[in-house]
Amino acid sequence: MSFDTNQANLENMDLEEIKGKTNQAFEEDESQERRSCKISESSENTKAKEEPDNAVNIQSDKNDQVSICYEAGPYAGMPKEVLIRYSNQLRYRLPREIIFWLILAATIVLIACTITVIALSPKCLDWWQASPIYQIYPRSFKDSDGNGIGDLNGITENLDYFVYLNIKAIWLSPVYKSPMKDFGYDVEDFEEIDPIFGTMEEFDNLLEAVHDRGLKLIMDFIPNHTSDKHRWFQLSRNRTGKYTDYYIWVDCKHELNKTTNPNNWVSLFGYSAWQFDEVRGQCYLHQFLKEQPDLNYRNVDVQEEMKNVLRFWLKKGVDGFRVDAVKYLLEAESLRNEPQVNLTQNPNNITSYDELYHDYTTTQVGMHDIVRDWQHVLQEFSKEPGRYRFLMTESYDNEEIYKTMMYYGTSIQQEADFPFNFYLIDLYKEMSGNGVFKIVDYWMRNMPAGKWPNWVVGNHDNSRIAFRVGAKYIKLINMLLLTLPGTPTTYYGEELGMENINLNNFFKWLKFLPILFQTANRDPQRSPMQWDSSDNAGFSTANKTWLPVHPNYVTVNVEVEKEQQNSTLTLYRELSFLRRNALPIHRGWMCYIWNDADIFAYVRELDGLSSVFLIVLNFGNSSEVNLASKISYLPKEANVRLSTDINKIGNKVQTASIITSAGEGLVLEYKTNNPVHTKAEFKDRCYISQKACYLNSFDILYKNC
């Protein structure tokens, strides 16, 4: 064909037919490659059949043969139009929709299960419930600078000790700036660290190091009084502005160096609770030392000042407070004389605190409102997850336990998370199985339902366990402390079995100074912490420490006892871990099953969990008790999980014949599906604070059981 002919043909082509055409001379026609064609003999047969879904071209020729071209099926890189055509076909659409609805249904079920688990799960124990609280007396814990007095850096250097003990909460006795008339409980500045202990920067470093280890720091809060060196008192005695009524000032007669006191109120340290001030010309109230004037909490400015003190430390990150001497916050405005204990005693001869009933100087109306306000301040800082701020109160109320229980608050108004329970400190008054039972039951019976118990066996104001009840009972009392329900509090060194030091010669001259003697008389239980067998028990490199180290430090110290399997420290540590890991002890029921002159025995169990712990403690003489005869459904045999006698650990004990010697304790474990707390005869002898049940199939706790 000539060039002219081709040119003519092009000119005759319909322009619409070539519109949008591109040169594809070097491109493969994918549509052709993805098709296969089949020739049928008759178009009639073909027309009788339904056109296939994937038929893309059907043509008939002059011989009535039909050519049908099919797509080869979905393929990678197919254009959008082809993808849409296939995706709408039933065989592709149906599986896709089934998968979609299955995923949706599974998501709904998962969400429903999650909501159900959350709704049915008991409240997790908070940090102040899950761990023992360890009291540090900073003067005596560790000296880092060689001056013979413990300090903040010394505590920071030894924080790993608490990790070793599985203790998560540390309570720090006062480190505020103070003249130290009452060893820090006379505060000169609530927002400064006393140079004896270090600097504010060192406190911040301590707090950071505490939190880095997952620990919590509780501080002493001393709201009842200040030091007479405090700026507020100096302004108040000069009647300066709003500070005029920051303290309790009363007119009194003072002539010839003799004061006629406003009433018969007596200080806790003895003699009148009133002190005449030459500057102001009035008497001020001090329920403790005369250098510790009481604040006036009927003044709203004072209340706000103390709330700001809390905020100052909370902003730094402090995790909680122990409120000191809380029941003394308010006094009766009437200033009435307090009733005498002995009505025949000459009123002019009353000098001792115990000679009066303190109806007008303790637990006054309005005092609990102040505590609730402090709790509200802490709640301001408790909104961040995992940063709950804790509040505990100190109040010795003796036989008036109902007063102590009021610090728990109500179901509507919370006050303290718990008030300190000091009743076990008086264990020496009736050292027997029955005596211990009475003390434990006294608290549990009077505690409001659903509240959390706590137990204290020693502190800086009371002699050590070994002095009060004897060294052979130290392990036993630690076992009691760490297996009872609730939060145990340990005073530094009790985990080692430290003992009081003898200060009779050191302080013998103080007998001529009665008030100072009573203050110093608390020091035997405040001797330096015994870390190792080196000089000064590893507490300090100084030539002389602020108090003498106990002579037994060579054998009673952290370093030595860590290496001894039968040591007081080793048993304490194992009990601490058992308390954390064993659910029945961690948060389960407690049921008293036996008590007599020698033995106090109780079980710790949890609904749904077959593992039960039976604790048998001997506070008297050697004894053999047949618990199987007391409880018919008790298993015949139990394993010794822990014991004050290391040789018995791992042994089996017959519950019909449990033999213990004086000061011996056993933590027995057995399996049962017949828990004690479900039995009618033990209804009034079983307690639980936050009920939880164990679901073995899912290994979870739930509360509706």
Side-chain angles (χ1 to χ4, degrees):
M1 183 179 293
S2 67
F3 174 80
D4 294 338
T5 304
N6 289 337
Q7 184 68 26
N9 290 336
L10 286 172
E11 291 175 352
N12 293 329
M13 287 181 64
D14 189 345
L15 292 176
E16 292 297 324
E17 291 179 1
I18 65 173
K19 185 178 180 180
K21 295 286 186 179
T22 59
N23 184 2
Q24 297 177 344
F26 298 101
E27 295 182 12
E28 296 180 357
D29 188 347
E30 290 189 8
S31 62
Q32 293 298 326
E33 286 187 355
R34 299 290 180 179
R35 297 176 184 173
S36 60
C37 297
K38 179 180 179 181
I39 298 176
S40 176
E41 294 182 355
S42 173
S43 62
E44 296 295 331
N45 294 334
T46 301
K47 292 176 182 178
K49 297 178 181 178
E50 183 179 352
E51 180 181 328
D53 288 340
N54 62 340
V56 297
N57 192 8
I58 303 177
Q59 296 180 343
S60 299
D61 60 16
K62 62 183 180 180
N63 297 321
D64 204 25
Q65 289 183 330
V66 179
S67 176
I68 304 177
C69 293
Y70 303 86
E71 283 284 0
Y75 56 91
M78 70 181 74
K80 180 175 69 175
E81 294 80 4
V82 177
L83 176 64
I84 293 174
R85 182 166 68 249
Y86 277 105
S87 66
N88 287 329
Q89 293 178 8
L90 182 63
R91 59 177 170 172
Y92 297 112
R93 188 177 70 249
L94 183 60
R96 188 171 67 247
E97 292 181 354
I98 290 173
I99 292 172
F100 168 78
W101 289 110
L102 285 174
I103 292 174
L104 181 61
T107 302
I108 293 172
V109 170
L110 182 61
I111 293 173
C113 289
T114 302
I115 293 173
T116 301
V117 169
I118 293 173
L120 295 179
S121 294
K123 181 181 180 295
C124 293
L125 297 187
D126 221 320
W127 60 265
W128 52 273
Q129 299 170 305
S131 167
I133 295 174
Y134 188 99
Q135 181 188 358
I136 294 177
Y137 194 69
R139 275 179 169 267
S140 299
F141 195 66
K142 185 68 167 69
D143 170 23
S144 69
D145 57 11
N147 67 354
I149 300 174
D151 48 47
L152 296 176
N153 283 342
I155 298 170
T156 305
E157 292 169 1
N158 288 277
L159 288 177
D160 288 338
Y161 179 58
F162 304 112
V163 177
Y164 168 79
L165 289 176
N166 186 45
I167 286 174
K168 306 296 184 184
I170 304 165
W171 158 31
L172 207 59
S173 290
V175 291
Y176 308 109
K177 186 177 180 182
S178 167
M180 298 294 166
K181 295 292 185 180
D182 190 18
F183 295 103
Y185 286 92
D186 50 325
V187 180
E188 182 178 342
D189 191 330
F190 287 104
E191 297 179 2
E192 287 291 339
I193 299 296
D194 194 276
I196 287 177
F197 302 117
T199 65
M200 186 62 77
E201 182 181 1
E202 289 168 346
F203 175 85
D204 292 337
N205 293 338
L206 168 62
L207 186 57
E208 182 180 2
V210 164
H211 290 161
D212 285 346
R213 289 166 174 78
L215 311 178
K216 303 293 183 180
L217 184 66
I218 301 166
M219 290 188 72
D220 250 336
F221 179 50
I222 308 162
N224 179 69
H225 47 263
T226 69
S227 165
D228 59 355
K229 304 300 183 185
H230 197 290
R231 183 177 66 92
W232 298 344
F233 186 76
Q234 296 303 315
L235 292 170
S236 185
R237 73 194 307 204
N238 286 288
R239 302 178 188 265
T240 305
K242 70 174 185 177
Y243 299 100
T244 300
D245 295 324
Y246 264 40
Y247 296 84
I248 312 294
W249 294 101
V250 177
D251 289 331
C252 59
K253 187 177 180 181
H254 183 77
E255 295 178 346
L256 302 175
N257 292 325
K258 184 176 181 181
T259 303
T260 302
N261 295 311
N263 57 30
N264 71 342
W265 294 357
V266 175
S267 158
L268 273 83
F269 292 114
Y271 298 93
S272 177
W274 297 99
Q275 179 68 26
F276 180 75
D277 181 64
E278 296 283 354
V279 175
R280 178 148 171 161
Q282 287 183 303
C283 285
Y284 64 84
L285 177 70
H286 61 92
Q287 295 211 56
F288 292 82
L289 296 177
K290 65 181 178 61
E291 293 87 0
Q292 296 170 292
D294 277 37
L295 286 164
N296 176 17
Y297 274 90
R298 300 194 187 280
N299 184 330
V300 294
D301 289 332
V302 171
Q303 294 188 32
E304 194 59 34
E305 291 273 17
M306 297 310 291
K307 284 191 279 188
N308 287 335
V309 169
L310 291 174
R311 292 187 180 103
F312 174 84
W313 294 103
L314 289 167
K315 287 175 183 177
K316 282 186 169 290
V318 168
D319 299 289
F321 297 91
R322 171 259 193 188
V323 185
D324 179 69
V326 66
K327 72 178 181 179
Y328 305 102
L329 292 178
L330 289 175
E331 300 78 25
E333 293 181 280
S334 65
L335 301 182
R336 293 177 60 185
N337 281 343
E338 294 196 308
Q340 295 180 202
V341 173
N342 180 4
L343 296 177
T344 65
Q345 184 178 4
N346 184 343
N348 296 323
N349 294 334
I350 292 177
T351 59
S352 172
Y353 191 76
D354 294 335
E355 292 173 342
L356 295 175
Y357 292 112
H358 303 285
D359 296 342
Y360 305 120
T361 54
T362 62
T363 319
Q364 299 298 294
V365 174
M367 180 267 292
H368 287 281
D369 294 328
I370 297 170
V371 179
R372 282 193 288 269
D373 285 344
W374 293 336
Q375 179 62 251
H376 293 158
V377 172
L378 268 66
Q379 293 303 321
E380 295 173 13
F381 292 83
S382 296
K383 296 175 182 177
E384 182 183 346
R387 291 306 308 275
Y388 182 82
R389 308 305 175 96
F390 166 70
L391 188 69
M392 58 182 172
T393 54
E394 178 210 42
S395 179
Y396 291 89
D397 293 304
N398 300 320
E399 67 277 2
E400 296 179 307
I401 194 171
Y402 69 92
K403 291 183 178 180
T404 303
M405 295 302 167
M406 291 175 68
Y407 293 101
Y408 275 115
T410 67
S411 57
I412 300 174
Q413 288 276 7
Q414 181 184 355
E415 287 188 36
D417 291 291
F418 58 66
F420 257 154
N421 173 5
F422 294 109
Y423 289 91
L424 280 175
I425 287 177
D426 292 333
L427 181 61
Y428 67 95
K429 294 179 180 179
E430 189 178 353
M431 188 65 175
S432 66
N434 288 330
V436 178
F437 163 73
K438 288 177 185 177
I439 293 173
V440 173
D441 186 56
Y442 188 49
W443 185 272
M444 299 303 290
R445 257 189 307 110
N446 286 280
M447 186 179 68
K451 297 299 182 179
W452 189 256
N454 73 100
W455 312 94
V456 179
V457 295
N459 65 9
H460 59 287
D461 285 330
N462 290 276
S463 295
R464 290 194 176 275
I465 295 172
F467 183 85
R468 279 179 282 134
V469 299
K472 71 178 179 181
Y473 291 104
I474 294 173
K475 288 183 180 180
L476 182 71
I477 290 178
N478 281 336
M479 182 174 284
L480 171 73
L481 183 70
L482 291 165
T483 57
L484 285 173
T487 299
T489 296
T490 293
Y491 182 53
Y492 84 96
E494 297 290 18
E495 76 281 9
L496 300 173
M498 283 179 58
E499 301 183 27
N500 279 16
I501 56 173
N502 186 348
L503 294 176
N504 289 336
N505 294 327
F506 190 74
F507 286 125
K508 64 181 179 180
W509 59 275
L510 287 175
K511 65 183 178 180
F512 302 108
L513 302 171
I515 293 178
L516 289 178
F517 178 73
Q518 291 184 50
T519 304
N521 196 38
R522 296 175 292 173
D523 286 343
Q525 61 268 18
R526 300 177 181 180
S527 61
M529 178 70 171
Q530 296 167 198
W531 291 103
D532 56 43
S533 302
S534 65
D535 292 344
N536 296 326
F539 163 73
S540 174
T541 58
N543 292 328
K544 185 178 181 181
T545 56
W546 83 279
L547 282 177
V549 175
H550 196 286
N552 70 3
Y553 76 89
V554 176
T555 55
V556 179
N557 65 65
V558 174
E559 185 178 74
V560 167
E561 293 194 28
K562 273 187 175 182
E563 302 302 319
Q564 296 175 342
Q565 292 184 343
N566 64 337
S567 69
T568 303
L569 178 64
T570 298
L571 178 60
Y572 184 97
R573 181 173 185 264
E574 290 177 348
L575 286 165
S576 179
F577 275 96
L578 180 66
R579 181 183 179 277
R580 183 190 72 178
N581 297 328
L583 278 173
I585 296 178
H586 189 59
R587 63 177 304 160
W589 289 88
M590 178 190 70
C591 298
Y592 318 125
I593 62 171
W594 183 252
N595 57 275
D596 57 27
D598 303 311
I599 301 297
F600 176 43
Y602 50 95
V603 296
R604 301 298 312 278
E605 52 193 22
L606 189 75
D607 290 280
L609 197 62
S610 60
S611 180
V612 175
F613 291 91
L614 167 60
I615 293 88
V616 181
L617 308 174
N618 189 324
F619 292 93
N621 301 309
S622 296
S623 172
E624 179 178 1
V625 62
N626 182 354
L627 293 181
S629 66
K630 320 296 182 189
I631 307 173
S632 59
Y633 42 85
L634 197 68
K636 295 181 179 179
E637 198 172 68
N639 296 318
V640 179
R641 182 70 177 268
L642 287 175
S643 172
T644 55
D645 180 356
I646 191 174
N647 296 317
K648 291 188 177 181
I649 296 177
N651 293 349
K652 293 188 181 298
V653 170
Q654 301 300 311
T655 56
S657 177
I658 301 177
I659 301 173
T660 55
S661 58
E664 183 178 351
L666 299 170
V667 178
L668 308 176
E669 185 177 13
Y670 61 84
K671 303 286 186 180
T672 184
N673 293 317
N674 211 359
V676 172
H677 73 269
T678 61
K679 307 304 178 184
E681 63 267 31
F682 286 95
K683 180 181 178 181
D684 296 327
R685 295 174 66 87
C686 294
Y687 299 92
I688 192 167
S689 292
Q690 297 179 6
K691 190 174 182 182
C693 313
Y694 181 71
L695 187 60
N696 186 61
S697 54
F698 290 98
D699 191 27
I700 61 171
L701 293 175
Y702 64 103
K703 62 184 178 183
N704 295 329
C705 54

